[in-house]
Amino acid sequence: MPQATVDRASEFLGGLFTSLTERGRSLFKSNNNQPKTKEELIALGETLLSRRGEATGVVLARTPLSGYDDADEQDQIGFLDALAEQFGPDLAELTAAVEAFHVSGASPDAAGRLLEAAEPRRQELIRRLNLAPGGTASLVRMREGVLRHLGDHPQLKHVDDDFVHLFTSWFNRGFLVLQRIDWNTPANILEKIIRYEQVHAIHNWDDLRARLAPADRRCYGFFHPQLVDEPLIFVEVALTLDRPNAIAPLLDLDREPISPKDATTAVFYSISNTQKGLAGISFGNFLIKQVVEEIKRELPNVQSFVTLSPVPGFAKWLARERANADSVLLDASARSALEVLDTPTWFEDQEIADHIKPLLLALAAAYFLQAKNPRGLPLDPVARFHLGNGARLEALNFLGDRSPNGMRQSHGLMVNYLYALGEIEANHEAFAERGQIAAASAVRKQLPSKPLTSEPRKTNGKTATLAIAPPA
């Protein structure tokens, strides 16, 4: 193509874009960089919905998004409330569609019209806002606001449902890209790994380097084309010689790395979601399964895939059991023995730790295998995630995490979930269909069949004590 023709085409397209931009600015009668009031944001939303041209919509969508980002919190809340109350379905159109549906005898055309009329107008508004440059990231932040204010503004539940509906499509597995994150990854992404780590805090760059640089360490994340430098979720992996029962050796800055070709086990020891606005949009199950495939392809010598997982709800659950005089798990002596947990440094006394260990492991088995939430699912959120993915509860690790956070949330308890490749689908189906928990026999054997006690008892003619009361 002659250069003159190329130049004319570029000039034409540049002029067209400039024209659209000016037209958008005149329509909105405002500067994109100024914060907006609630009333202005509502008006901008109505104007955007009224436009039919997609090209102008791209330009026009910038202003309400930037205006919302810069608005004060009360105006943001007012706009979100308006999304719930003023941007629902067109009631006149919906009523007409319902009548047509009944008259037609539920014909396919009438059913289609009814479905279209039932869709809230805010869904189309969100779609149009997504057309703006950076629109996806702005909408993810907007949903953060919805979640933050949901408790005080229950009407936002409808807005949240629409965000989830749209985000589930926009962030489905087909749009996600798996990338390995290593010490050569751009610094702006590495900084976010430090900031977003939710399980085992990364304290500094040396700490991060120890997790990314050694040959026996891996980190993988899912990225989305519209959030190119924002990992949506990432998992940290340790290649080891066997299944670990504590986190400290894995994070030890002075440990000696092993050759990846000598490893037999891949340990998923930290999984972090990074975007609060994408809460409830599941990525982790796809991530773990794809990382398993990546590691199998790279290192066929690795045959075992396990987690070393926290137990974030155990301490709170146990506190409720201890406070419940009618608990079927604890008798008075066991409840008294557990008072030692109220001493922050109890685990530093080896004798106390050895005596309380059987009691805590029995309670942990009850927590995982019997404690349920109102939906009949395991109480522990990490357990729901891995069991729902098809993993098996493999081992309970007493004092696996002695960090302040580990002691606070689980009295140091950690667990291993095993991803046995030949059992994943069967375990998933049993959990999803029947609520059946896949657990190793060693875990099930620790489940108490009667109230736990710390009183001395006879075992093979010898006196044994399950746990001791705290010293006077």
Side-chain angles (χ1 to χ4, degrees):
M1 182 181 294
Q3 185 61 42
T5 303
V6 174
D7 291 342
R8 285 195 297 273
S10 298
E11 182 180 353
F12 172 78
L13 291 174
L16 176 61
F17 185 78
T18 300
S19 174
L20 290 173
T21 301
E22 293 304 320
R23 184 179 179 188
R25 286 175 177 169
S26 66
L27 281 169
F28 281 80
K29 294 185 176 65
S30 63
N31 186 299
N32 284 349
N33 295 324
Q34 292 181 347
K36 301 293 185 290
T37 65
K38 173 188 71 174
E39 291 75 17
E40 288 175 320
L41 290 169
I42 295 170
L44 290 171
E46 293 287 5
T47 302
L48 184 57
L49 281 176
S50 71
R51 305 303 301 171
R52 292 292 177 259
E54 183 174 334
T56 54
V58 172
V59 178
L60 301 181
R62 294 177 178 179
T63 302
L65 284 177
S66 61
Y68 175 86
D69 283 340
D70 295 333
D72 65 38
E73 186 175 45
Q74 288 307 309
D75 283 315
Q76 288 182 344
I77 294 173
F79 176 67
L80 296 177
D81 285 340
L83 288 181
E85 297 164 356
Q86 300 178 35
F87 287 83
D90 184 320
L91 295 182
E93 177 60 29
L94 180 58
T95 300
V98 170
E99 293 175 354
F101 181 80
H102 288 300
V103 170
S104 70
S107 71
D109 287 344
R113 179 185 174 188
L114 179 58
L115 288 173
E116 183 177 352
E119 180 181 283
R121 295 192 307 138
R122 57 181 165 266
Q123 282 196 24
E124 180 60 22
L125 176 58
I126 294 170
R127 291 191 193 97
R128 295 193 182 197
L129 291 171
N130 192 48
L131 295 173
T136 304
S138 293
L139 290 170
V140 170
R141 290 194 299 272
M142 188 179 292
R143 188 185 175 227
E144 282 189 40
V146 172
L147 294 173
R148 189 164 56 250
H149 301 298
L150 195 54
D152 296 327
H153 298 258
Q155 68 272 24
L156 294 182
K157 174 68 168 57
H158 304 299
V159 179
D160 188 53
D161 289 343
D162 289 331
F163 268 115
V164 171
H165 172 74
L166 295 170
F167 283 174
T168 300
S169 297
W170 298 350
F171 290 91
N172 76 57
R173 176 63 190 89
F175 293 115
L176 303 182
V177 178
L178 180 71
Q179 292 186 11
R180 182 173 171 185
I181 300 166
D182 58 26
W183 193 240
N184 296 315
T185 298
N188 65 321
I189 295 178
L190 295 183
E191 289 174 347
K192 290 171 182 174
I193 297 299
I194 294 175
R195 185 166 73 249
Y196 290 145
E197 166 62 51
Q198 297 174 359
V199 185
H200 304 293
I202 300 175
H203 302 288
N204 51 45
W205 285 93
D206 288 338
D207 200 356
L208 179 65
R209 184 185 182 94
R211 303 195 194 191
L212 301 182
D216 60 353
R217 293 295 182 264
R218 299 287 188 276
C219 181
Y220 300 89
F222 267 148
F223 291 78
H224 189 276
Q226 293 299 319
L227 300 167
V228 291
D229 62 349
E230 286 279 352
L232 305 181
I233 186 174
F234 62 90
V235 59
E236 297 166 64
V237 185
L239 303 175
T240 65
L241 300 176
D242 50 27
R243 187 187 73 213
N245 58 16
I247 190 63
L250 296 185
L251 302 181
D252 184 1
L253 297 182
D254 297 323
R255 68 177 187 83
E256 286 293 329
I258 65 171
S259 168
K261 294 183 179 179
D262 293 334
T264 64
T265 305
V267 184
F268 303 95
Y269 66 90
S270 179
I271 303 175
S272 297
N273 288 287
T274 68
Q275 308 297 315
K276 294 180 181 178
L278 293 177
I281 313 300
S282 179
F283 308 118
N285 53 346
F286 298 117
L287 178 63
I288 287 181
K289 291 171 184 175
Q290 189 160 343
V291 169
V292 167
E293 293 301 321
E294 289 288 322
I295 293 176
K296 282 174 56 183
R297 184 163 42 249
E298 179 193 357
L299 299 168
N301 47 292
V302 174
Q303 297 294 315
S304 180
F305 297 88
V306 301
T307 76
L308 184 59
S309 297
V311 191
F314 180 61
K316 288 184 178 179
W317 171 82
L318 183 51
R320 291 195 296 271
E321 288 295 322
R322 291 172 57 191
N324 179 11
D326 298 322
S327 171
V328 298
L329 289 173
L330 303 172
D331 71 3
S333 65
R335 189 174 286 106
S336 176
L338 289 171
E339 291 176 6
V340 72
L341 297 178
D342 299 329
T343 303
T345 58
W346 66 266
F347 60 94
E348 296 177 359
D349 186 313
Q350 191 61 50
E351 184 179 359
I352 291 177
D354 288 343
H355 280 80
I356 205 170
K357 178 179 178 179
L359 182 57
L360 276 183
L361 289 180
L363 288 164
Y367 173 70
F368 282 105
L369 300 177
Q370 295 178 339
K372 298 291 191 294
N373 68 12
R375 296 175 58 194
L377 298 174
L379 203 57
D380 191 77
V382 179
R384 292 196 299 271
F385 172 77
H386 288 296
L387 295 171
N389 285 347
R392 181 173 76 210
L393 179 60
E394 189 69 5
L396 307 174
N397 301 312
F398 179 71
L399 291 181
D401 183 2
R402 296 173 180 242
S403 71
N405 185 56
M407 298 306 300
R408 181 172 54 254
Q409 70 177 4
S410 66
H411 302 303
L413 182 72
M414 297 193 80
V415 299
N416 299 117
Y417 297 96
L418 173 67
Y419 281 84
L421 303 184
E423 303 174 9
I424 288 176
E425 293 305 322
N427 290 344
H428 165 75
E429 291 297 328
F431 183 80
E433 298 295 330
R434 302 184 297 278
Q436 183 175 318
I437 295 173
S441 59
V443 175
R444 293 193 179 279
K445 286 178 181 178
Q446 296 184 78
L447 186 65
S449 59
K450 58 183 179 180
L452 294 167
T453 182
S454 66
E455 295 297 330
R457 57 187 173 82
K458 292 288 185 178
T459 303
N460 297 327
K462 297 180 180 181
T463 299
T465 303
L466 183 62
I468 62 170

